[in-house]
Amino acid sequence: MSLPLLSLPPVPMMLVAATVAAGLALGGLALALASVLPATSPKARPIWPVFATEVVIVAVAVLPFVAGGALLDLALVLLAVRVGYEATQVALLRFAPAGGRPGDLLLRWLLPLAAGGVLALAGMLAARVSYPFVAGAGALLAGLAILWRFFLGTSRLPLAVTLELLVFPAVPLVLFMAAAGDASNAGLLLLAFLLVETYDSYALLGGKLFGRRPAFPVLSPKKTVEGLAVGGAMMALTAGLVGPLVFGWSLAASLLAAALIAVAAVGGDLAGSRLKRASGVKDYPAVLPRQGGALDIADAWLIAGPALVLLAAVAG
């Protein structure tokens, strides 16, 4: 069954990649101009290290999809191992002695790396199955885990932590790898990455300019109601223009995709933050300076990417 008003024609991967590259180029040009103007240079020049890190993140995210084949498979496996390692190591901090990190080999390395290996294997297997089936099974599994965790409470802590890790990041990561296993989804996954980065930028700017009320004081104190509202409004405007003009989507489909990405971006960020807050840490084990771990970078994408692919499948 298809939904004509919400039809999402295929998204050319190279067009999305070119859009990402153009956005970075314009950002670099604007930053360079601000760096030479006397009025703005003191604030602009310290931003260059952050911009350079962002370029690395975008390159690592985009190039494997452009290359495809074995390089994409390798990148996805490495992502799964790293995400499983980070999430499990942070979760196991709850079992550390009071006032310290777990220092033994089992908690710091063996269990986290084993969890990453299991995630990679599950993702590779899921990539060989119909994506709607994998998405349905993943949603059912996550729902059962949430219910079980709710009734379990804080008793039998190891099982409770396992269920938390299953809901996030295990199920979203496996769905992401399953979606990436079909080359026709590459454009959608890259588009989700672009939209998540755009939404985060709009929300951050709106928060800095207008932010007054924290939206999630405990899990993500830097997010404000005003910032999220600005981010959502700008995302709707961007999608309403780019979707129909660039990708041939209907206005309704474009706005629905924008809303889905906004919800998924916030949900992914909160899911990643919840695990860190429960273990009393600020960031996951770092892979890049000023950015934290792979989960700090990709938490929203892991949910937004599969969600956009599923929307396209449902819309026909």
Side-chain angles (χ1 to χ4, degrees):
M1 181 182 70
S2 63
L3 304 175
L5 289 178
L6 299 180
S7 177
L8 301 177
V11 175
M13 178 188 60
M14 294 305 298
L15 179 59
V16 182
T19 303
V20 174
L24 278 179
L26 289 175
L29 182 63
L31 185 57
L33 180 62
S35 298
V36 298
L37 295 176
T40 57
S41 61
K43 292 184 178 181
R45 289 179 179 176
I47 299 177
W48 278 108
V50 179
F51 181 76
T53 304
E54 185 65 24
V55 171
V56 172
I57 292 172
V58 170
V60 171
V62 172
L63 290 180
F65 283 95
V66 173
L71 181 59
L72 177 59
D73 292 339
L74 176 61
L76 291 172
V77 168
L78 292 177
L79 175 65
V81 172
R82 180 68 196 189
V83 165
Y85 163 77
E86 290 180 4
T88 306
Q89 189 186 92
V90 166
L92 290 178
L93 288 175
R94 303 178 203 180
F95 300 96
R101 296 173 60 88
D104 61 274
L105 181 64
L106 179 66
L107 295 182
R108 288 295 302 277
W109 294 102
L110 296 184
L111 284 178
L113 288 175
V118 170
L119 274 182
L121 178 61
M124 288 188 292
L125 293 175
R128 289 157 174 77
V129 182
S130 167
Y131 182 72
F133 175 81
V134 175
L140 177 61
L141 186 60
L144 291 175
I146 292 172
L147 289 175
W148 196 358
R149 176 66 179 88
F150 176 78
F151 289 111
L152 188 68
T154 56
S155 62
R156 298 174 64 190
L157 187 57
L159 178 57
V161 171
T162 302
L163 294 175
E164 289 181 10
L165 293 176
L166 182 64
V167 174
F168 185 88
V171 167
L173 178 63
V174 169
L175 292 181
F176 187 92
M177 293 182 68
D182 185 345
S184 64
N185 292 328
L188 283 170
L189 290 173
L190 284 184
L191 179 61
F193 173 78
L194 173 62
L195 292 177
V196 164
E197 292 296 308
T198 302
Y199 176 77
D200 284 345
S201 299
Y202 284 144
L204 178 63
L205 178 62
K208 286 185 176 297
L209 294 178
F210 310 110
R212 295 292 184 272
R213 295 167 292 177
F216 311 101
V218 177
L219 290 181
S220 189
K222 292 185 179 181
K223 281 184 170 54
T224 63
V225 174
E226 294 81 6
L228 294 179
V230 170
M234 294 303 295
M235 266 282 288
L237 177 61
T238 302
L241 293 174
V242 173
L245 296 178
V246 178
F247 300 118
W249 292 2
S250 68
L251 180 60
S254 301
L255 295 178
L256 180 59
L260 182 69
I261 292 295
V263 172
V266 174
D269 183 76
L270 293 180
S273 296
R274 185 185 185 283
L275 184 58
K276 291 186 293 184
R277 299 296 181 268
S279 298
V281 297
K282 182 179 182 295
D283 294 314
Y284 291 101
V287 291
L288 287 173
R290 294 174 292 274
Q291 292 293 334
L295 264 175
D296 291 303
I297 298 169
D299 50 6
W301 191 24
L302 292 180
I303 293 182
L308 189 58
V309 171
L310 183 61
L311 175 64
V314 171

